[in-house]
Amino acid sequence: MNIILLGPPGAGKGTQARRLEEERGMIQLSTGDMLREARTSGTEMGRKVAAIMDAGELVTDDIVIGLIEEKIKAAPNASFIFDGFPRTLAQADALGELLERNGKKLDAVIELRVDDDALVKRIAGRYTCGDCGEVYHDATKPTKVDGVCDECGSSNLIRRADDNEEALKTRLMEYYKKTSPLIGYYYAKGLLHSVDGLAPIDTVASEIASVLDALRPLDGNVKTP
Ligand code: AP5
């Protein structure tokens, strides 16, 4: 099964993708994480990516499509959660072609619906473990021990360079202009499922689980008598 988690910055895509990895053995493909890794590479491309990300703009389609293609090819039997990809209609078309070329299909697109006020609060309070990637929030999901990651015990807790008011404005604009048209695109393909992303993390996770469990018969995994 391959799914997309679609939603604006701070909607909870990364949080839910990590849970799906743990609970269903799927692989999270976050273009944001891949680009954050690329920006530390010290290359010219890394420097360009860093400047674009810090401003809150979108990196060019060819770069992100190339990153995703590498990952799909490297794990031919895996089930993927696309987190933060696709973000433009060109990326969506490219993903469809990529999956087809690799004998895969897209099973569902889960839209996390949230409002802008909630997003601002979420982004302002977010911090991440720099070692294992676990995502936290000052108010809604703090670490159990102050300054120590619950998952891996690291004290390398970081805040993202693009989690500031100015970059967030641009990220939201980019989302509404370039990414939100994907809602109609996937609705027309019969793949869209909308979930209330304002609900608590566990409730959102259960709603996503219900959508995926209902899809299983279509996946051919349920035996008929
Ligand atoms: P990316 O890293 O993908 O960032 P984003 O889409 O802006 O999404 P976020 O990671 O900010 O939010 P999220 O939805 O994952 O929320 P999270 O789970 O962390 O992209 C960064 C940049 O990379 C882009 O701006 C662009 O430059 C570039 N880029 C990436 N992909 C690209 C592409 N395909 N094409 C071109 N450029 C690309 O949750 C947020 C906070 O809320 C956390 O603190 C969490 O604990 C909390 N929270 C989560 N769910 C809940 C809940 N239900 N209730 C309360 N709190 C919650």
Side-chain angles (χ1 to χ4, degrees), residues 10 12-15 31 36 57 84 87 126 136 160 171 199:
K13 304 180 294 293
T15 301
T31 38
R36 275 183 285 281
E57 290 160 11
R87 257 174 152 101
R126 170 171 53 191
Y136 296 97
R160 273 169 45 178
R171 285 160 69 193

Side-chain angles (χ1 to χ4, degrees), residues 7-16 30-33 35-36 49 52-54 56-61 64 83-88 91 112 122-123 125-127 135-138 140-141 160 162-163 171 197-202 204:
K13 304 180 294 293
T15 301
Q16 297 299 332
S30 158
T31 38
D33 287 348
L35 291 166
R36 275 183 285 281
V49 163
I52 295 170
M53 290 178 86
D54 289 352
E57 290 160 11
L58 292 189
V59 173
T60 53
D61 290 337
V64 284
D83 161 10
F85 179 91
R87 257 174 152 101
T88 62
Q91 291 180 21
L112 299 175
R122 286 189 187 178
I123 295 283
R126 170 171 53 191
Y127 55 100
V135 185
Y136 296 97
H137 189 277
D138 293 322
T140 56
K141 193 188 165 199
R160 273 169 45 178
D162 58 346
D163 279 352
R171 285 160 69 193
L198 286 173
I201 292 172
D202 288 346
V204 178

